[in-house]
Amino acid sequence: MKKLAFVIAVAIASLGSAQAQTQAPAANPLRFVVGAGLTAGGDKLATAEYANGGSIDVRAGGMIAFLAGVDYRVNQQFSFQGTVGFHVDQASAKNGDVTFKRFPIEVLGYFHPSDKMRIG
C-alpha cells in the first residue's frame, strides 16, 4: 500500500514539474506555488495496536503533505523557491489515536539551462 502511495506521489510531482517547466518565464518574477502529495517511508515513530489484534505504524515520512510558497525568478538562468508545508500521519481507533505532525520549511535554488528545463 505504501509503495503504491509513493508511486502516485512521484507521478503527481513529475506532472506538476513538467507543467512548470514548459511555461515561458513570466514578466512578473514572483509566482505563487502550492502543492500536495502522498508520502511514504521514514522512521517508525510508534505502533498503534488495535483490540482485534491488528496494528499500524506511524512513520515520520508517511501519509500526506501540503505546501505553499513563492518562486522568485532572479534572472533568465536562476530562480529560488521557498515553501512552508504541513506533513501529517496518524492512526485512529475508538479508544485513542496517535498523530505525527510537522511543518517543513524549504528553500530551493534552481539553474535554468533552457526555458523548458531547470535543475535544483
Side-chain angles (χ1 to χ4, degrees):
M1 178 69 175
K2 290 193 179 206
K3 288 181 183 180
L4 176 62
F6 177 73
V7 170
I8 291 170
V10 169
I12 291 170
S14 66
L15 289 174
S17 177
Q19 179 184 8
Q21 292 173 2
T22 58
Q23 296 174 351
N28 184 358
L30 190 66
R31 297 183 304 162
F32 292 99
V33 177
V34 294
L38 300 174
T39 61
D43 293 334
K44 182 171 74 169
L45 301 174
T47 300
E49 296 184 13
Y50 296 113
N52 66 2
S55 66
I56 187 168
D57 294 333
V58 174
R59 295 189 170 270
M63 196 54 127
I64 191 163
F66 301 99
L67 64 91
V70 294
D71 184 88
Y72 181 73
R73 190 77 178 249
V74 177
N75 58 36
Q76 191 68 17
Q77 290 186 318
F78 297 100
S79 68
F80 291 98
Q81 178 176 300
T83 60
V84 175
F86 175 68
H87 191 195
V88 63
D89 191 6
Q90 72 177 30
S92 298
K94 289 181 183 178
N95 62 347
D97 63 284
V98 177
T99 303
F100 168 72
K101 299 177 190 175
R102 67 179 171 168
F103 300 91
I105 298 171
E106 298 178 346
V107 177
L108 301 170
Y110 290 105
F111 170 68
H112 301 260
S114 72
D115 287 342
K116 298 185 184 229
M117 187 168 113
R118 67 181 183 173
I119 300 168

